[in-house]
Amino acid sequence: MTKERIIKANPKYIQQFQKGFPLLNKENVTTSMESVQDGEIFKLVDNKNTFIAKGYFGIQNKGRGWLLSWKEQEAIDRDFIFKKIQAAINQRLHFFYNEDTTAFRVFNGEGDGFGGITIDYFDGYYLIQWYSKGAYSFHEEVMQSLRKLTDFKGIYQKKRFAQEGKYVEEDDFVEGTRPSFPLLVKENGVQFAIYLNDGAMVGVFLDQREVRKRIRDSYSKGKRVLNTFSYTGAFSVFAALGGASQTTSVDLANRSLSKTIEQFSINGIDYEAQNIIVEDVFKYFKYAVKKELSFDLVILDPPSFARSKKHTFSASKDYKDLLKEAIAITEKNGTIVASTNCSTFNMKKFKSFIEEAFKETTGKYKILEEYTLPEDFKTLSQYKQSDYLKVAFIQKL
Ligand code: SAH
């Protein structure tokens, strides 16, 4: 057996690690990690050299590696990885049997016991995402597990490690057959056009499934809906199917126009009856105020960080101002769906942005409901940052 590298925990963090905190960071160890190899297994010990846990090295934007086992005798090998993936699949069997929803997350990194790797399911095709070179060093073990545990039609992958979580451009096909794209999948009966071979984003963010359903089922009928940072228009499609009198989708990216047209069309909706606008959201807000436009439902789902020609938007700094812009064009008693995937602040902080935004504008509001990640995006209670999604349905009173 090869000798495992020993890493010493910073005494301040020993207890956290013992309780199952899974991320290895520079700050929470005292050993230098300069010469470590991607994918190398290490043992984490306390100041008396007592074993705490073992894991692997892999540099990603979230740290230097992941802890995987708190049992000294447990080997990190093919069998270990097989069992983790098997357990993850077994917990999601009801998704595999659901005919109305054929896209979901099968394996969610540290939430399923192996940080740095996620696996999504798209109607028989699997998409593996590797978040570090270290994670990728286990690709043969992961592939063997998928061959044994599933009868996949094909496997694709995204290597998100060009540098710190950036995507490596390539065709992404790994094994099996290639579908013709777009691959059509369903979510609660609604179709999505998926492209597994065309860049980092495949056409849908699966973590918003419950929010989309809620918008369709309870918030859209007869409403004028504004969907900002709309990407492929997923929220607009659900709103239209829920009976919205009109939807407006706004996104800066040129690709969003054709993608949104496609998204409406595959669901039998006449896209020409909808507004699809390629523009900076902040510019659109100004235009809407000038034209005295107003909406019954405004959806805000910005990236955590984005730079456009005129604007830099950072959710942790600018969400309050974004809300203020939305409040100005939302009807009294209308609803704002405020969403963020920013992991640097929690729901409490997010609610403080909401509180301040209303205090500085129209005053009264009511939070009608809140959402976090759905169950297939399994998280670890010992690692709060992994529970990144925060969505509030806010009524403007
Ligand atoms: N809400 C979408 C996902 C949003 S992804 C969904 O549910 O599918 C973030 C999107 O914000 C990207 O499509 C990006 O092009 C867009 N974006 C980033 N900055 C923007 C800006 N200033 N104005 C408009 N769109 C922006």
Side-chain angles (χ1 to χ4, degrees):
M1 217 174 105
T2 50
K3 200 164 167 296
E4 286 165 350
R5 193 185 286 260
I6 304 292
I7 295 286
K8 269 205 172 140
N10 180 329
K12 276 200 292 198
Y13 294 95
I14 288 174
Q15 263 209 335
Q16 264 192 56
F17 279 133
Q18 285 169 336
K19 285 186 190 149
F21 184 80
L23 185 66
L24 190 73
N25 258 323
K26 258 218 246 75
E27 309 82 69
N28 46 32
V29 302
T30 55
T31 313
S32 158
M33 293 187 283
E34 253 159 45
S35 64
V36 303
Q37 306 281 311
D38 293 310
E40 190 186 337
I41 301 294
F42 65 83
K43 263 189 197 173
L44 184 73
V45 299
D46 67 11
N47 34 1
K48 296 190 191 106
N49 286 322
T50 308
F51 174 85
I52 302 173
K54 58 172 77 175
Y56 77 95
F57 292 112
I59 299 178
Q60 66 176 82
N61 53 359
K62 284 188 197 146
R64 307 298 303 262
W66 292 97
L67 303 190
L68 301 175
S69 173
W70 281 255
K71 295 180 199 148
E72 190 161 13
Q73 300 313 323
E74 190 167 46
I76 309 301
D77 56 11
R78 194 169 26 166
D79 192 46
F80 179 89
I81 292 173
F82 178 86
K83 285 195 175 127
K84 294 288 179 206
I85 297 179
Q86 185 179 44
I89 288 175
N90 284 339
Q91 282 167 18
R92 291 163 176 84
L93 289 181
H94 56 294
F95 280 98
F96 284 94
Y97 294 121
N98 183 343
E99 288 178 7
D100 283 338
T101 297
T102 58
F104 54 90
R105 178 147 291 187
V106 174
F107 191 89
N108 197 39
E110 68 280 5
D112 283 297
F114 207 109
I117 301 174
T118 64
I119 307 175
D120 293 330
Y121 177 89
F122 295 99
D123 196 21
Y125 291 87
Y126 287 76
L127 173 67
I128 312 171
Q129 308 208 57
W130 312 100
Y131 285 85
S132 69
K133 275 191 193 142
Y136 188 67
S137 73
F138 299 101
H139 74 276
E140 203 34 58
E141 288 85 347
V142 171
M143 285 299 298
Q144 281 179 1
S145 303
L146 287 177
R147 283 184 207 116
K148 275 196 208 150
L149 289 164
T150 73
D151 39 12
F152 61 81
K153 296 177 194 161
I155 296 187
Y156 280 75
Q157 67 183 0
K158 308 278 171 208
K159 295 179 186 165
R160 295 182 172 271
F161 51 76
Q163 29 151 281
E164 300 203 339
K166 292 269 161 44
Y167 166 73
V168 180
E169 277 301 332
E170 51 184 45
D171 156 76
D172 297 340
F173 176 74
V174 185
E175 194 172 309
T177 60
R178 296 168 194 256
S180 57
F181 291 112
L183 175 66
L184 295 185
V185 301
K186 271 192 286 184
E187 180 186 280
N188 291 308
V190 179
Q191 307 248 40
F192 277 117
I194 301 299
Y195 296 83
L196 298 176
N197 61 344
D198 187 28
M201 304 211 287
V202 302
V204 64
F205 289 95
L206 296 173
D207 54 4
Q208 297 275 15
R209 181 188 312 114
E210 291 169 353
V211 180
R212 283 189 283 268
K213 182 172 189 310
R214 196 77 184 122
I215 285 175
R216 178 190 65 186
D217 295 351
S218 304
Y219 286 89
S220 297
K221 202 165 175 56
K223 306 288 196 229
R224 290 161 300 162
V225 178
L226 173 65
N227 179 12
T228 63
F229 306 93
S230 55
Y231 181 39
T232 62
F235 286 121
S236 311
V237 170
F238 272 70
L241 291 170
S245 60
Q246 175 216 82
T247 70
T248 301
S249 307
V250 185
D251 195 293
L252 188 63
N254 283 323
R255 62 163 188 238
S256 67
L257 177 61
S258 58
K259 295 238 176 230
T260 306
I261 290 175
E262 178 177 52
Q263 214 47 65
F264 278 122
S265 304
I266 59 171
N267 285 291
I269 303 162
D270 175 12
Y271 70 86
E272 288 184 333
Q274 314 294 328
N275 301 315
I276 307 170
I277 299 170
V278 177
E279 194 172 54
D280 191 316
V281 161
F282 299 97
K283 218 171 138 195
Y284 181 79
F285 280 128
K286 297 213 163 52
Y287 164 85
V289 168
K290 208 166 110 199
K291 295 277 170 187
E292 298 181 2
L293 302 184
S294 71
F295 298 89
D296 307 304
L297 180 66
V298 176
I299 300 160
L300 303 174
D301 184 27
S304 297
F305 190 83
R307 192 173 280 140
S308 67
K309 274 183 210 130
K310 291 222 175 105
H311 248 281
T312 300
F313 175 84
S314 151
S316 57
K317 288 202 196 84
D318 305 320
Y319 213 108
K320 181 191 80 179
D321 291 336
L322 176 65
L323 278 161
K324 286 167 75 174
E325 307 250 28
I327 292 166
I329 57 169
T330 303
E331 282 286 343
K332 191 169 159 55
N333 293 321
T335 307
I336 297 172
V337 177
S339 169
T340 180
N341 58 9
C342 187
S343 59
T344 61
F345 58 86
N346 59 16
M347 186 63 106
K348 194 166 164 225
K349 184 93 192 157
F350 191 41
K351 285 189 183 165
S352 78
F353 297 155
I354 298 169
E355 172 74 24
E356 283 164 33
F358 276 93
K359 220 188 230 165
E360 292 172 24
T361 54
T362 56
K364 283 198 173 156
Y365 70 98
K366 186 176 168 197
I367 295 187
L368 302 172
E369 35 189 321
E370 294 166 30
Y371 285 84
T372 55
L373 287 172
E375 65 162 305
D376 50 328
F377 283 70
K378 206 177 157 200
T379 56
L380 263 189
S381 58
Q382 295 96 325
Y383 180 51
K384 297 270 183 286
Q385 294 95 306
S386 65
D387 206 356
Y388 57 84
L389 185 69
K390 294 163 279 292
V391 184
F393 284 59
I394 314 156
Q395 187 175 24
K396 173 177 165 181
L397 298 174

